[in-house]
Every structure is written in C-alpha cells, then in structure tokens.
Amino acid sequence: QVQLVESGGGLVQAGGSLRLSCAASGRTFTSFALGWFRQAPGKEREFVAGITRSDTIIGYADSVKGRFTISRDKTKNTVYLQMNSLKPEDTAIYYCAASANRAPKFEYEYDSWGRGTQVTVSS
C-alpha cells in the first residue's frame, strides 16, 4: 500500500481559491492512479477528480467541472487539487486516495486513503 497525507485545507470565503496537496510514500508514485474524494456532513463520500498513472485525467464531478483541476508532480510524489471559485457547497473533508486500477472513479476501487483535510467555504 501507499501512505497518503493531505494538506492545504482551511477556511475561505466564497469565490476564493485553495490548493490541496497529497504527498505519497511507500510505493512507486507512478504505479498507481490517484483520486480526490470529499464528504460533507450528513452525506456520502463522493468522487471529485482523478488522474491515471500516466497523467490522463479520469474525470471530474459535474459540480466541480471548470473550477477544480487535478495534477501530479512526479518529482515531488505529490498530487494536487486546485480549487477555484469555491462555493459554500464545496465545504467538506477532502480525501486523497490511490488505486491500482487504470482509471478508477468509484470509492471501492481505491485501496489506500489519507486522513483527509477540512475545507470550509463561508458565504
């Protein structure tokens, strides 16, 4: 398995931006796909964005398309989630996850998870 540690969350006003980071260790960084998920209070965890081991974008949730961008830096073993034009409904705990599958979009396809980072967007 791979160890994942998220950072970069915080409190931001609506319309603002944040960049989340997820540092990976324990396995070759280029051997797995990476995804970002989020879970808001009282809701199920949902897929936000994903990127394959060859840096192809798997996809974005409809609610974040055009506002969020996923990327990975192989030199730093880190995957990022750039979040722009944030809305109060983006408030959630954001999780980074790794998968051995080629283009995973579902939670059950991921077998390594970080502990999450809180993002709060005020109106």
Side-chain angles (χ1 to χ4, degrees):
Q1 285 197 342
V2 60
Q3 289 74 49
L4 303 167
V5 179
E6 303 96 335
S7 61
L11 173 63
V12 64
Q13 288 189 333
S17 298
L18 282 175
R19 188 178 78 158
L20 304 183
S21 300
C22 174
S25 63
R27 226 168 76 188
T28 305
F29 187 64
T30 54
S31 66
F32 45 87
L34 290 158
W36 285 98
F37 288 76
R38 67 185 182 185
Q39 186 168 22
K43 295 187 177 181
E44 294 187 351
R45 190 154 54 183
E46 64 174 351
F47 175 83
V48 175
I51 189 166
T52 68
R53 67 188 70 182
S54 57
D55 291 346
T56 301
I57 303 300
I58 297 168
Y60 295 94
D62 288 342
S63 57
V64 307
K65 280 180 182 176
R67 301 187 298 122
F68 290 13
T69 303
I70 187 171
S71 62
R72 67 194 294 171
D73 185 337
K74 296 176 183 178
T75 65
K76 297 181 179 180
N77 286 359
T78 300
V79 63
Y80 303 99
L81 185 68
Q82 178 65 45
M83 307 187 295
N84 299 328
S85 302
L86 283 162
K87 305 176 181 179
E89 50 264 44
D90 294 318
T91 295
I93 299 174
Y94 283 72
Y95 298 90
C96 175
S99 171
N101 290 2
R102 187 186 68 80
K105 291 192 71 172
F106 300 99
E107 189 174 344
Y108 69 85
E109 297 185 86
Y110 289 81
D111 53 13
S112 296
W113 292 83
R115 293 188 173 184
T117 185
Q118 175 71 49
V119 172
T120 303
V121 184
S122 63
S123 56

